[in-house]
Amino acid sequence: MSGSGDGPAILAEGLVKRFGVFTAVDGVSFEVPPGRIFGLLGANGAGKSTAIRMLCGLLAPDGGRARVAGIDVARDPEGVKSRIGYMSQKFSLYGDLTPRENAEFFSSLYDAGGGGRGDPIARAFERTGLSGGAGRPEGVLTRDLSAGYRQRLALACAILHRPRVLFLDEPTAGVDPVARRRFWDLIYGFAEEGAAVLVTTHYLDEAEYCSEVTLMRDGRIVAAGKPGDLKRACFPGIVLEIECGSTGPALEALRREPWVEEAAVFGSRIHAALAPGFGSDRVSSLLAASGAGEAKIRETDPTLEDAFLKIVSSTGAASLGGAGSGPTGGGAR
Amino acid sequence: MKRVASLIRKELLQLKRDVRMRAMVLVAPVMQVLVLGYAADMDVRNVPTAVYDQDRSSDSRAVAEAFRASGAFVLAEECSSWSDVDDALLSGRAEIVVAIPPGFSRDLRSRASPQLGLVVDGSRSNTAAVALAYATGIASSFGARLQPTAAPRGPSVDARIRVWYNPELRSRLFMVPGIFALLAMVFTIILTALAVVKEKEAGTLEQLMASPLRRGELVAGKLAPFLLVSTVTLTLALVAVRVFFGIAPRGSLGLLALLSVLFSVSTLGIGLFVSTLARTQQQAMLFSIFFFMFPMMILSGFVFPIENMPAAIRAVTYFMPLRYYLRIVRSLFLKGSGLAVLWPEALALAGLAALYVSVAVARFRKRM
Ligand SMILES: Nc1ncnc2c1ncn2[C@@H]1O[C@H](COP(=O)(O)OP(=O)(O)OP(=O)(O)O)[C@@H](O)[C@H]1O
Ligand SMILES: [Mg+2]
């Protein structure tokens, strides 16, 4: 147990990864203290998996520094590997082995069978809700199990050796909402016990559960912070949810007003973010004047999705406008 | 060590569950040996033969009769001119023409070494070569029978006759060990390359690389199961050869086993090397076939004698484990040679095994 007690469990400082001339990760920095859930977000190809692979010692960084569980990843990648749990983006268990055989195999790789109290497989299965219940017959091969079950099995295999740091790369992809919810309860459990969890996801509703989120775009960090702070920073005024007869004219009318910072359609409703100091009465009179019909207006909490859409559209404009004018994005935090 | 053991266990478990793979490992070698063994039977029978007898003596008729009596040839027609000969070959009515020159009988009886012309349809080179061998045998046996007085050359002529008169044994005995060696090569290269690339495709290799498993352990855990599998495969092939063709190595089985392991390790190394180049199973398949198996099949002396190759290509063959293993297997099957004779090949195999495994290990990073 060497010096992993204090300091962040995961520390990335200016990480860079290039594939040929293409820079997949471009100066990414963040830290995750023990007991926190850190969400790494971003569109396909943003560089999330590449960043995780560098932190896991699977890819050598071309620049920057990384410390995981108190160990310098560049200097001792193997040391890092024995202290982390990693669920890769691809579903990575052996489909032609049974769950138990998979667990036994991975357990033997981590020497998890030895010193600890009790059977690590039984413990990990219990921890991830795989033991008892469900009545899974022993002989079923992993590939014949449901996606939700396999995903919890992958998690079980990643925690056999009781890692203090967990990297979960899109663990909930392709899993139904109930199973996702259940999975996040497990993640909470690990964080409460003091593990640092780095998780990537494309579901922004999930990201709300994170202690801190970071948005990547083209290999760089464009926004970072607690979900609540981020939303407040993006929407200093109130956000309204508007339900009205004809959405089109209403949206147009809203977008014409300078005090409406953002107006977007969400399903059958409109979300409108107002500048600070403006209220719903201004909106109702505007809509009445525009002839959009009877409008139901209520104040709502902005979602992370609102915030990120706003950030992405504004940084997109910025990078289009100020091409090559000094460092951008990286300083967003 | 425990990790290597569980890697091996896992690999064998997967192999056990994969019905098609299991069939390939257990049934294919026996089938291969049988099919190829029968196909490799290169002795010729009933080759349509024309005779152009320009001598028209009792001796010349005896020659024609000897051809017919051998069973390898059937007399298709008699030619009466060279244009007849041409016609017979072109039309395909005959594949070989025995031309007996005028004065054959006279030369034969005056011990002036009579000449016998053989015209062979070269477009069927395989039949032609073997038929030619038969015909040469018949011709010389004929000479020997009529000339018992040519004592000094007798024994050597005799020896040749015996070889030529046993062509069936010769071709199969020669081919079957070669097939055995090819089997060993194909299985080891393909199984390893596919096994590793399959894990690459599935993403499980990434999971292995993210674990504290050491590179050496990972490599050992990938090579050992397939060494085991190829041992089983070769044993089956050996039994099949014994049962169906009655062919067994004359040399020591222990030596065959030992050298087969050396050979397998070198080809397993090649398989692992291929797996570091390929991203998909198709690529792995094509790489192994085109860059390793084809060249080795063609250049290792299985088809063409290495001695006849240009120096540059011969230099390449020194890096082909199959070259040495073929020699070893053929010597063990045909002559029963021991290590006293085979040590240079054994040494070369050991060197290549070390070379290929270390190249593969060097390329096989525990990184992506
Ligand atoms: N080994 C590689 N060689 C070349 N390019 C690569 C390699 N790995 C990733 N890339 C590229 O780097 C970029 C970032 O990939 P990465 O997998 O990190 O994205 P991601 O954020 O995880 O995306 P997703 O949400 O689709 O998983 C992509 O454009 C990808 O094509
Ligand atoms: Mg990814």
Side-chain angles (χ1 to χ4, degrees):
Chain A
M1 299 292 129
S2 60
S4 53
D6 40 62
I10 306 171
L11 175 68
E13 279 179 350
L15 280 182
V16 176
K17 182 69 204 178
R18 294 187 198 93
F19 295 112
V21 293
F22 172 72
T23 306
V25 172
D26 193 0
V28 163
S29 305
F30 57 78
E31 52 181 84
V32 186
R36 297 288 173 77
I37 303 172
F38 182 87
L40 198 53
L41 314 173
N44 294 126
K48 307 178 297 288
S49 299
T50 307
I52 289 187
R53 283 174 176 160
M54 284 191 279
L55 291 169
C56 293
L58 286 169
L59 271 179
D62 295 316
R65 230 163 53 87
R67 287 178 80 79
V68 171
I71 298 172
D72 188 316
V73 180
R75 222 169 276 150
D76 184 13
E78 299 305 307
V80 168
K81 287 173 184 176
S82 60
R83 287 172 174 77
I84 59 167
Y86 173 49
M87 239 177 106
S88 67
Q89 180 171 356
K90 259 188 178 169
F91 177 73
S92 304
L93 294 172
Y94 294 97
D96 44 3
L97 300 185
T98 65
R100 178 139 205 112
E101 286 163 350
N102 264 303
E104 277 166 357
F105 174 67
F106 282 106
S107 169
S108 73
L109 296 191
Y110 285 92
D111 290 326
R117 307 138 259 155
D119 175 11
I121 297 175
R123 190 187 57 81
F125 274 23
E126 187 169 339
R127 202 71 190 65
T128 52
L130 294 178
S131 53
R136 294 282 175 198
E138 262 295 294
V140 176
L141 298 186
T142 302
R143 63 163 170 254
D144 299 326
L145 297 165
S146 73
Y149 190 96
R150 286 186 308 193
Q151 159 227 47
R152 273 179 289 142
L153 176 60
L155 181 63
C157 289
I159 59 160
L160 286 164
H161 56 299
R162 298 166 169 266
R164 307 298 296 151
V165 182
L166 270 177
F167 292 95
L168 311 176
D169 197 354
E170 291 189 32
T172 54
V175 169
D176 70 65
V178 176
R180 269 167 57 194
R181 199 50 197 256
R182 213 168 146 190
F183 195 83
W184 272 92
D185 288 341
L186 297 176
I187 296 179
Y188 271 136
F190 292 122
E192 264 162 31
E193 288 168 14
V197 184
L198 190 159
V199 60
T200 74
T201 180
H202 285 296
Y203 302 108
L204 285 167
D205 57 326
E206 287 183 356
E208 308 262 4
Y209 309 146
C210 296
S211 345
E212 193 172 333
V213 293
T214 280
L215 178 66
M216 283 182 75
R217 184 193 162 92
D218 296 336
R220 297 176 182 207
I221 292 178
V222 290
K226 291 190 172 62
D229 293 350
L230 269 177
K231 286 184 281 191
R232 242 165 281 134
C234 280
F235 305 105
I238 58 169
V239 176
L240 299 178
E241 188 177 80
I242 304 158
E243 220 177 334
C244 63
S246 45
T247 315
L251 195 63
E252 259 175 54
L254 284 166
R255 282 184 173 160
R256 267 198 300 271
E257 296 302 322
W259 45 269
V260 177
E261 295 203 323
E262 189 91 4
V265 177
F266 270 73
S268 61
R269 303 184 178 103
I270 295 173
H271 280 197
L274 309 187
F278 292 87
S280 61
D281 42 342
R282 282 292 288 269
V283 173
S284 51
S285 54
L286 174 73
L287 290 181
S290 74
E294 184 75 5
K296 249 189 272 170
I297 301 173
R298 64 183 186 86
E299 201 169 318
T300 179
D301 283 333
T303 61
L304 256 186
E305 196 160 348
D306 294 323
F308 282 155
L309 285 176
K310 187 172 177 199
I311 292 166
V312 167
S313 61
S314 63
T315 54
S319 64
L320 276 177
S325 59
T328 51
R333 50 193 306 233
Chain B
M1 226 45 237
K2 198 182 123 221
R3 292 177 184 154
V4 177
S6 74
L7 272 169
I8 296 175
R9 213 177 75 88
K10 180 218 91 190
E11 209 71 51
L12 294 179
L13 208 58
Q14 287 183 297
L15 202 64
K16 201 183 89 187
R17 300 245 162 93
D18 190 336
V19 182
R20 269 170 292 179
M21 211 57 174
R22 205 173 50 199
M24 198 169 116
V25 167
L26 297 180
V27 180
V30 178
M31 291 244 309
Q32 293 274 308
V33 162
L34 288 188
V35 171
L36 295 177
Y38 279 116
D41 177 3
M42 298 227 269
D43 59 328
V44 292
R45 288 184 196 91
N46 304 332
V47 178
T49 306
V51 175
Y52 179 22
D53 187 352
Q54 296 161 272
D55 195 42
R56 303 210 164 267
S57 60
S58 60
D59 286 329
S60 69
R61 274 190 295 278
V63 168
E65 172 56 21
F67 270 87
R68 197 197 58 73
S70 76
F73 307 93
V74 285
L75 290 189
E77 66 181 78
E78 300 233 354
C79 304
S80 50
S81 69
W82 283 111
S83 67
D84 274 4
V85 169
D86 227 19
D87 190 48
L89 286 174
L90 268 180
S91 67
R93 289 196 303 276
E95 286 176 24
I96 184 167
V97 179
V98 184
I100 306 166
F104 175 79
S105 177
R106 186 192 61 226
D107 289 348
L108 195 65
R109 288 173 193 276
S110 65
R111 299 188 206 162
S113 60
Q115 304 229 325
L116 204 61
L118 282 171
V119 187
V120 170
D121 179 356
S123 67
R124 312 183 182 223
S125 57
N126 226 355
T127 322
V130 183
L132 201 59
Y134 271 95
T136 315
I138 291 173
S140 51
S141 82
F142 198 75
R145 192 151 52 87
L146 277 189
Q147 279 187 290
T149 44
R153 296 165 81 200
S156 70
V157 170
D158 228 20
R160 284 184 61 187
I161 293 166
R162 220 172 269 146
V163 173
W164 294 128
Y165 264 143
N166 225 351
E168 185 193 41
L169 264 182
R170 180 181 165 272
S171 62
R172 193 173 276 157
L173 243 183
F174 195 64
M175 292 304 283
V176 164
I179 293 161
F180 182 81
L182 285 191
L183 251 169
M185 173 183 80
V186 170
F187 263 79
T188 46
I189 293 185
I190 292 211
L191 283 182
T192 347
L194 286 190
V196 177
V197 176
K198 202 165 120 190
E199 290 217 29
K200 234 190 232 185
E201 281 182 352
T204 45
L205 193 63
E206 179 170 353
Q207 211 65 48
L208 292 184
M209 287 173 166
S211 79
L213 191 64
R214 277 187 286 271
R215 183 164 66 166
E217 294 172 327
L218 185 48
V219 168
K222 275 292 170 191
L223 296 190
F226 298 111
L227 187 58
L228 212 68
V229 169
S230 91
T231 306
V232 171
T233 303
L234 287 186
T235 309
L236 282 175
L238 211 58
V239 171
V241 165
R242 177 74 236 257
V243 170
F244 292 98
F245 300 119
I247 298 175
R250 294 188 187 185
S252 131
L253 269 180
L255 186 60
L256 179 63
L258 178 77
L259 296 178
S260 298
V261 166
L262 270 187
F263 173 70
S264 297
V265 171
S266 72
T267 47
L268 287 167
I270 290 177
L272 196 63
F273 175 69
V274 167
S275 78
T276 66
L277 299 174
R279 283 186 180 278
T280 64
Q281 295 190 61
Q282 283 99 316
Q283 282 178 4
M285 217 51 182
L286 290 178
F287 281 162
S288 355
I289 291 175
F290 287 114
F291 293 120
F292 294 97
M293 300 200 296
F294 266 7
M296 281 213 256
M297 263 183 213
I298 293 167
L299 300 178
S300 287
F302 181 68
V303 186
F304 308 116
I306 294 174
E307 296 75 40
N308 296 356
M309 291 171 191
I313 291 184
R314 218 169 342 155
V316 175
T317 67
Y318 289 114
F319 290 93
M320 300 183 165
L322 187 60
R323 173 201 165 118
Y324 306 101
Y325 189 57
L326 261 179
R327 287 252 280 275
I328 288 169
V329 172
R330 281 178 174 161
S331 306
L332 280 173
F333 268 90
L334 296 166
K335 300 187 219 158
S337 319
L339 205 51
V341 177
L342 293 175
W343 66 265
E345 279 80 13
L347 216 60
L349 272 189
L352 286 184
L355 174 72
Y356 287 123
V357 171
S358 34
V359 167
V361 169
R363 276 198 53 92
F364 198 83
R365 297 269 159 68
K366 254 200 81 189
R367 295 225 154 148
M368 312 204 48

